[in-house]
Amino acid sequence: MKFFLDTANVEEIKRVNDLGLVDGVTTNPSLISKEGRPFEEVIKEICSVVDGPVSAEVVGLTYDEMVTEARQLAQWADNVVVKIPMTEEGLKAVNTLSQEGIKTNVTLIFTVSQGLMAAKAGATYVSPFLGRLDDIGSDGLGLVADLKTVFDNYDYDTEIIAASIRHLPHLEGSALAGADIATIPGSIFPKLWSHPLTDSGIQSFLDDWKKFEDSQK
Ligand code: G3P
């Protein structure tokens, strides 16, 4: 399973990258706006730090706007993937961009049929938003599992990015469902490797060791 970081914060990316855990990065306009720096500057810096795909999202809503923006974004670095919203205009843009060899990540996927349409249009990645589906009482992990089944049924190469991950069960459930990638916010990453029983276990081993050393004096 590949792990992407869902952030536009370069310091956060560097920290997790140093652990060898970052296979790519996803951003969106909300995440970019939090950085308070020019879009191009942020994306170019992330692309230089990360050895893997970096998703940068278009903000236009028409086919012409999306394709024009996407062609510009693709010039910024070799590892830019253009994030396109799941709309009719977006699908048309994905179809054109895939023929030009520009990689796309179709975002805001909430149903199997949306994912299937994106895959048929030639998307490199689709991003089902688990957390936002759970927020409305729907089943985010079920969508990931169903997309995996459908893509396997028809041999689509499109990779599934489990997105809008809010907690550890989302990550573990996505892995069990066979998502190719999980994109994880920086705040969730430390939860992947920590457990209170690990911490208390280390402490009790050290306490016993100290007692043993003292008894040898
Ligand atoms: O990758 C999608 C993500 O940025 C959206 O997450 O938590 O805003 O639903 P969230």
Side-chain angles (χ1 to χ4, degrees):
M1 186 180 207
K2 286 174 274 187
F3 288 168
F4 289 0
L5 257 178
D6 193 30
T7 182
N9 186 279
V10 175
E11 290 316 309
E12 201 163 56
I13 292 166
K14 283 182 179 164
R15 193 176 130 233
V16 188
N17 208 20
D18 284 347
L19 303 174
L21 295 174
V22 180
D23 298 304
V25 167
T26 51
T27 68
N28 60 38
S30 305
L31 293 170
I32 294 284
S33 68
K34 280 190 202 163
E35 297 308 304
R37 294 198 287 143
F39 183 28
E40 182 171 349
E41 181 183 302
V42 174
I43 292 297
K44 283 185 172 172
E45 195 176 344
I46 295 172
C47 285
S48 71
V49 167
V50 173
D51 186 16
V54 174
S55 288
E57 189 159 342
V58 298
V59 289
L61 290 177
T62 66
Y63 165 82
D64 287 336
E65 287 167 340
M66 285 191 241
V67 168
T68 303
E69 275 182 67
R71 288 176 181 147
Q72 278 167 0
L73 293 175
Q75 299 291 319
W76 289 357
D78 289 344
N79 50 340
V80 164
V81 170
V82 181
K83 226 171 171 186
I84 303 277
M86 177 64 222
T87 60
E88 183 177 344
E89 294 286 294
L91 286 174
K92 195 171 153 190
V94 168
N95 182 37
T96 298
L97 295 168
S98 72
Q99 288 172 43
E100 293 178 11
I102 294 175
K103 291 186 174 165
T104 54
N105 171 1
V106 178
T107 189
L108 293 159
I109 298 283
F110 294 98
T111 64
V112 172
S113 69
Q114 286 182 320
L116 189 51
M117 294 304 98
K120 273 190 81 70
T124 318
Y125 304 97
V126 291
S127 291
F129 274 34
L130 279 71
R132 293 192 192 186
L133 266 179
D134 287 359
D135 289 346
I136 59 160
S138 198
D139 179 11
L141 283 174
L143 173 61
V144 173
D146 289 348
L147 281 170
K148 172 71 179 163
T149 302
V150 170
F151 286 6
D152 285 352
N153 283 349
Y154 298 101
D155 281 335
Y156 283 114
D157 292 332
T158 304
E159 292 189 70
I160 300 167
I161 304 179
S164 184
I165 284 187
R166 305 273 172 75
H167 45 60
L168 196 54
H170 273 157
L171 183 275
E172 294 178 345
S174 297
L176 286 166
D180 301 284
I181 300 145
T183 190
I184 306 162
S187 58
I188 306 286
F189 242 104
K191 298 187 198 320
L192 269 59
W193 59 73
S194 356
H195 195 282
L197 288 176
T198 305
D199 298 339
S200 61
I202 292 169
Q203 194 54 54
S204 83
F205 287 154
L206 292 178
D207 291 346
D208 289 343
W209 189 253
K210 174 93 175 48
K211 280 182 216 153
F212 170 69
E213 280 190 323
D214 289 348
S215 73
Q216 299 296 303
K217 285 179 186 164

